[in-house]
């Protein structure tokens, strides 16, 4: 169940990036800062915050709608992943787990550094604290198994509630890392179409991998 959840988690993230449409080649000059672009991606994907994206010029309604679509998709993914593992949880329970995951990820500290830049290209390093995402699910499962017998829980519904509660508690109480993982991204100055806006910004060269790499950083994969 754990690795299936993580794989589908990343699939949902790619949906966000694909909704930001490219509209062709960029110009040679711009006030765009490559570190601002990667800050926007980090905030959107890890912190679930669209503010930095709209500051870049991305249409506010498009950014908000994209985030809502992503959140709905991930709640559904959690439900499906638990079901595939033989545990059926409600949408409300999946939402509660998702909120715990999002809250913990939003608490991570990070640092963004431009390591190289010219008029058309830039290299940016993104460093982030992380949580041991898969181990948290493993811990919650074991805690639930250890609790079932002494608590005399025999009803399946109650056992599921206990598992969900333990997953949420595990995410809420887990410690974040004292060190950081780092990923390097290549960006190009490009013309981006978003809503009624057409903006010239530094944008990831391989934007389809951005979500996956940032999330792997934050979840110790």
């Amino acid at each position: 169940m754990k690795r299936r959840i993580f794989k589908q988690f990343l699939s949902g993230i790619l949906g966000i990036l694909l909704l930001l449409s490219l509209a062709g080649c960029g110009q040679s000059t711009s006030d765009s800062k490559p570190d601002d672009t990667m800050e926007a991606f980090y905030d959107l994907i890890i912190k679930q915050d669209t503010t930095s994206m709209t500051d870049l010029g991305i249409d506010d309604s498009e950014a908000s709608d994209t985030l809502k679509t992503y959140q709905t998709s991930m709640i559904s993914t959690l439900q499906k992943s638990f079901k595939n593992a033989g545990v059926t949880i409600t949408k409300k329970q999946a939402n509660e787990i998702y909120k715990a995951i999002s809250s913990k990820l939003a608490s991570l500290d990070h640092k963004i550094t431009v390591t190289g830049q010219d008029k058309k290209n830039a290299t940016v390093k993104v460093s982030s604290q992380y949580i041991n995402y898969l181990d948290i699910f493993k811990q919650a499962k074991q805690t639930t198994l250890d609790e079932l017998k002494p608590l005399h829980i025999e009803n399946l519904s109650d056992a599921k509630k206990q598992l969900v509660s333990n997953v949420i508690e595990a995410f809420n109480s887990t410690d974040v890392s004292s060190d950081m993982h780092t990923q390097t991204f290549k960006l190009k100055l490009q013309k981006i179409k978003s809503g009624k806006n057409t903006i010239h910004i530094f944008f990831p060269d391989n934007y389809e991998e951005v979500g996956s790499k940032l999330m792997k950083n934050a979840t110790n994969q």
Side-chain angles (χ1 to χ4, degrees), residues 62-170:
E62 181 177 306
S64 297
D65 289 345
T66 299
L67 184 55
K68 288 178 183 177
T69 299
Y70 167 69
Q71 292 169 338
T72 300
S73 172
M74 292 322 305
I75 291 169
S76 176
T77 293
L78 282 169
Q79 279 187 282
K80 291 177 181 177
S81 297
F82 272 81
K83 185 176 182 179
N84 289 340
V87 180
T88 301
I89 62 174
T90 66
K91 183 177 181 180
K92 180 180 179 181
Q93 289 172 324
N95 185 48
E96 291 172 348
I97 293 173
Y98 179 71
K99 285 181 178 179
I101 295 172
S102 299
S103 177
K104 183 57 66 171
L105 289 176
S107 72
L108 301 178
D109 193 15
H110 69 286
K111 183 172 68 173
I112 297 175
T113 307
V114 177
T115 58
Q117 180 181 353
D118 57 29
K119 290 183 178 181
K120 293 184 178 181
N121 300 280
T123 303
V124 181
K125 285 187 176 181
V126 179
S127 301
S128 175
Q129 289 181 304
Y130 55 88
I131 57 173
N132 293 308
Y133 183 85
L134 298 179
D135 288 346
I136 294 172
F137 280 98
K138 182 179 180 180
Q139 172 193 335
K141 177 183 176 182
Q142 187 59 52
T143 299
T144 303
L145 292 174
D146 293 343
E147 289 175 344
L148 289 180
K149 188 174 181 179
L151 290 178
H152 304 290
I153 296 177
E154 298 178 357
N155 183 281
L156 181 58
S157 177
D158 290 339
K160 291 177 183 177
K161 289 179 181 178
Q162 190 68 22
L163 174 60
V164 170
S165 176
N166 286 334
V167 169
I168 293 171
E169 174 58 27

Side-chain angles (χ1 to χ4, degrees), residues 6 10 13 46 130-131 181 183 210-221:
F6 184 73
L10 295 180
I13 289 169
I46 305 301
Y130 55 88
I131 57 173
H181 286 326
Q183 292 278 4
V210 172
S212 176
K213 291 176 72 173
L214 289 177
M215 188 57 72
K216 285 181 178 179
N217 241 19
T219 55
N220 197 27
Q221 300 304 305

Side-chain angles (χ1 to χ4, degrees), residues 193-205:
K193 177 70 176 177
S194 179
K196 295 181 179 180
N197 303 328
T198 299
I199 55 178
H200 297 85
I201 62 173
F202 279 98
F203 207 76
D205 189 21

Side-chain angles (χ1 to χ4, degrees), residues 1-9 134 221:
M1 179 182 73
K2 300 188 295 295
R3 291 198 177 278
R4 186 179 295 111
I5 287 176
F6 184 73
K7 183 177 181 180
Q8 293 178 346
F9 198 68
L134 298 179
Q221 300 304 305

